Amino acid sequence: LDAMKILKLSVFLFVFLAFLVSCKDEESLYDEVTITVKNATDESIFIFVDHHSQSLSMKDFTVWINPNSLEFDQVDSGKEIQYKTEKRWLLESPFYNIFIFKSETISLFSKEELVEYDIFDDSYHLTYADLKLYDFKIVYDGYSHWKEQN
């Protein structure tokens, strides 16, 4: 009888441990996702990111925010910037909108003009599946490969 209990306990523990090991590899909705944007141009660029339920243009931001409150991240030539979020946010608001502005564009236009006239040098409207396909890394070289594909 004791041998039977030990056998049952051993089988239970084996199944339980196998279950734990198999669950470890599954992606969680709360997993941190790091999105990297690399500047492969020979000049500084400025980036504005937003994730939303739809693909957006700069003009769309007039509805939600004051253009003067927009904040751009500067990324110097050869450098990269990382944006951290959770997988669930990318699934709930499926479009990760990235707007890229060259230094010249930022110096020529005010934030109000950028929004009102929908001015930017490049934009990406990526879903979680798109980001995963690119290994969560976007390399901006001054030419929009994304626009060519869509």
Side-chain angles (χ1 to χ4, degrees):
L1 188 64
D2 287 329
M4 188 60 121
K5 283 184 180 179
I6 292 172
L7 181 61
K8 284 182 181 179
L9 183 60
S10 297
V11 169
F12 172 78
L13 287 175
F14 176 76
V15 170
F16 181 72
L17 289 173
F19 173 75
L20 286 178
V21 170
S22 69
C23 289
K24 186 178 178 185
D25 292 336
E26 286 185 28
E27 289 185 10
S28 164
L29 290 176
Y30 297 95
D31 284 350
E32 184 177 81
V33 175
T34 302
I35 301 163
T36 303
V37 180
K38 180 178 173 121
N39 178 4
T41 70
D42 58 0
E43 63 180 302
S44 291
I45 59 171
F46 295 82
I47 300 174
F48 175 70
V49 298
D50 180 76
H51 49 98
H52 202 272
S53 61
Q54 61 189 10
S55 175
L56 299 174
S57 70
M58 285 304 294
K59 196 175 241 184
D60 293 322
F61 290 101
T62 58
V63 176
W64 295 293
I65 56 177
N66 177 345
N68 289 320
S69 68
L70 290 177
E71 293 190 23
F72 301 104
D73 296 311
Q74 181 175 344
V75 183
D76 294 328
S77 176
K79 303 290 183 190
E80 59 186 37
I81 190 167
Q82 294 184 332
Y83 298 97
K84 296 187 183 292
T85 189
E86 289 180 357
K87 179 180 176 181
R88 67 186 172 120
W89 296 123
L90 292 172
L91 297 175
E92 289 176 17
S93 299
F95 286 98
Y96 201 79
N97 298 285
I98 303 171
F99 296 92
I100 298 178
F101 306 86
K102 295 180 180 178
S103 297
E104 182 181 19
T105 305
I106 292 292
S107 64
L108 287 174
F109 301 99
S110 69
K111 289 179 180 179
E112 291 166 328
E113 291 171 320
L114 294 174
V115 171
E116 183 179 346
Y117 301 112
D118 208 26
I119 299 169
F120 52 87
D121 291 298
D122 203 355
S123 67
Y124 298 81
H125 311 282
L126 306 168
T127 64
Y128 179 80
D130 297 329
L131 288 163
K132 196 170 182 177
L133 182 68
Y134 288 108
D135 199 27
F136 301 95
K137 186 167 188 172
I138 304 301
V139 178
Y140 179 69
D141 59 10
Y143 176 78
S144 176
H145 300 284
W146 180 253
K147 284 183 181 177
E148 286 297 317
Q149 293 175 6
N150 291 297

